[in-house]
Amino acid sequence: PEGGRMITYTDVTDLARRVDALSKPAATDGMTGLASRRQFDEMAGVEWSRFQRYQRPVSLLVFDIDQLKAVNDGYGHEAGDRAILHIVALCNEDRRASDLVARIGGDEFAILLPETELAQARIVAERLRDRIARSPFVAAGNIMARLTVSIGLAQATLSMSGIDALRRVAEAGLAQAKSAGRDRVGIDMPREEGHKAAAE
């Protein structure tokens, strides 16, 4: 009545800590420690904006483990999980600090390569494919299994509508690699919009 005010203070430190704790799992794949698909989409969107603004090259690799189901069926799901972690360890061996490696599905992964043209990205992809094929994997006990991956590759172009379009081209390359026999790198070369219009 005399014009006084009541001010309430609330300590939100604990709440802020909980938000941080919850946001980290959302950004990180719990099994592999790689970026989650959500985090990948966010970071790839940032890189796409930089590509559009400065027209600096950016390439994308998408790959999955060939016939992982056979490992699961033959040696159990624990062996399948170890196979995934084996692949992740090999991916992390010599990646650049600027490269973004993410698990975007069960046994599907993506690597975003900033400042990388298609020819350079192909070298990266072939080196990774070869490293995985040559690296021994213990499936169970003393039983060794050979793991391979199929990789799709694409470079961003100005005619693409966004990061999803880049991913679709890379996934088309992955489909090519699989249909050609697996354990290889596939590159799908999309027609530029101008060429498409001319052809029509």
Side-chain angles (χ1 to χ4, degrees), residues 22-185:
L22 289 172
S23 64
K24 185 174 181 181
T28 306
D29 176 66
M31 177 182 173
T32 63
L34 297 178
S36 65
R37 179 158 195 156
R38 173 181 166 185
Q39 177 73 353
F40 176 82
D41 288 343
E42 291 178 2
M43 297 300 294
V46 171
E47 189 59 36
W48 186 266
S49 297
R50 196 173 77 90
F51 159 70
Q52 286 188 310
R53 182 171 182 180
Y54 301 109
Q55 297 183 23
R56 302 298 302 162
V58 58
S59 294
L60 176 66
L61 276 63
V62 294
F63 66 96
D64 62 22
I65 304 172
D66 294 328
Q67 298 178 320
L68 181 62
K69 185 178 184 299
V71 175
N72 286 325
D73 292 346
Y75 307 105
H77 288 281
E78 184 180 340
D81 289 347
R82 289 202 312 274
I84 290 173
L85 294 174
H86 178 76
I87 298 297
V88 169
L90 295 173
C91 286
N92 286 328
E93 275 190 358
D94 62 352
R95 70 169 178 172
R96 302 172 302 179
S98 59
D99 296 341
L100 177 62
V101 183
R103 184 185 184 195
I104 57 176
D107 67 331
E108 187 175 356
F109 301 86
I111 306 178
L112 191 69
L113 303 172
E115 301 290 334
T116 306
E117 295 181 348
L118 190 67
Q120 298 168 306
R122 183 164 196 166
I123 293 171
V124 172
E126 289 287 2
R127 188 168 58 218
L128 176 62
R129 183 202 59 76
D130 183 66
R131 183 188 303 128
I132 291 170
R134 290 173 178 271
S135 179
F137 168 67
V138 180
N142 295 323
I143 301 174
M144 307 296 288
R146 181 173 181 265
L147 297 177
T148 62
V149 294
S150 297
I151 304 176
L153 178 60
Q155 179 180 345
T157 66
L158 292 174
S159 66
M160 291 178 179
S161 58
I163 196 69
D164 287 340
L166 177 62
R167 180 185 291 141
R168 284 193 295 272
V169 175
E171 287 175 345
L174 173 59
Q176 283 187 5
K178 285 184 169 298
S179 65
R182 300 185 176 89
D183 187 24
R184 63 195 67 216
V185 176

